Amino acid sequence: MARVSQEHLEARRRQILDGAAVCFARNGFHATSMQDVLKEVDLSAGAVYRYFGGKEELIAAIASEVLETVRGTLEQAAQESPPPTPDVMVPRALALMRQVRPATLETGEWLFPRLMIQVWTESTRTPSLTAVLIEGYAKIREAWGAMAKNYKDAGLLPEDADVDAMARAMIALVQGFAAQMAIFGDIPPQVLAEGTRALMATGRTASPA
């Protein structure tokens, strides 16, 4: 009985987070009220406030889940041999996010990229959300360390490479592509792969004799 009850609680929490994500992506964080969230999830105020104290807690929970998904992607990739290169990792991270969070807006637009812009913008105003992002990105950079070790073991990366700088650049790539999706529309996975691959190849072309 306890197990079923816990499953119910987790399903209800998921329902609230998914509904809030739709609201934030559709109208923005500040233009969305808790009443909008209640209407979206079709629950009473008491049912929602049992899980979350307000909009700030909702967006912090959403951000934390996204960062955990990215961290898990890196940790899983670190177990592969040979390790997947960045031109594989960037499209994979976004593809996994689409799989885990497939919700779309009424227009059919994938809501995740727009939602992430809301998270980044709100983090500049809300210290508690900033703390969530700082902690989450620190875990991602740590997970990248395992990937970098595999690259070095495979001879794909110099021993003196700045691993933390690489992690930050990878995060920036994913963020940048997500921002482009939010503004310009969807980007095919092959564009992400080919663009990242081209950046990786810069400077490798042999100089003319």
Side-chain angles (χ1 to χ4, degrees), residues 2 4 16 20 44 56 58 95-96 117 125 134 147 152 159 201:
V4 173
I16 296 168
S44 68
E56 289 77 10
L58 281 165
L96 179 61
I117 287 182
R125 303 187 183 99
I134 289 173
M147 283 293 298
K152 291 178 179 180
E159 284 296 327

Side-chain angles (χ1 to χ4, degrees), residues 19-181:
V22 170
C23 290
F24 295 150
R26 181 195 294 137
N27 298 319
F29 182 76
H30 287 279
T32 298
S33 67
M34 282 302 290
Q35 283 300 122
D36 294 327
V37 175
L38 298 179
K39 183 178 179 181
E40 184 71 31
V41 299
D42 194 24
L43 292 173
S44 68
V48 172
Y49 283 110
R50 176 181 182 181
Y51 297 86
F52 302 99
K55 291 195 301 180
E56 289 77 10
E57 287 189 16
L58 281 165
I59 202 165
I62 291 168
S64 181
E65 285 190 343
V66 169
L67 293 170
E68 280 297 303
T69 299
V70 175
R71 182 181 63 82
T73 301
L74 288 174
E75 289 182 344
Q76 181 177 356
Q79 305 301 316
E80 299 180 32
S81 182
T85 49
D87 59 311
V88 175
M89 285 300 306
V90 171
R92 179 187 293 184
L94 288 171
L96 179 61
M97 199 60 61
R98 190 186 288 270
Q99 178 183 339
V100 174
R101 296 286 175 266
T104 59
L105 299 175
E106 292 83 352
T107 59
E109 178 186 357
W110 183 33
L111 68 79
F112 170 74
R114 290 180 59 171
L115 178 63
M116 285 301 92
I117 287 182
Q118 294 299 324
V119 170
W120 300 330
T121 301
E122 186 56 27
S123 70
T124 65
R125 303 187 183 99
T126 308
S128 59
L129 180 57
T130 302
V132 169
L133 295 185
I134 289 173
E135 180 182 359
Y137 283 127
K139 290 179 179 178
I140 289 174
R141 299 203 310 269
E142 182 180 346
W144 181 259
M147 283 293 298
K149 181 180 183 303
N150 283 0
Y151 287 152
K152 291 178 179 180
D153 291 345
L156 300 174
L157 190 66
E159 284 296 327
D160 61 351
D162 188 331
V163 172
D164 188 62
M166 288 182 64
R168 292 175 184 272
M170 282 290 294
I171 292 170
L173 275 174
V174 174
Q175 288 178 321
F177 280 128
Q180 289 187 58
M181 289 178 182

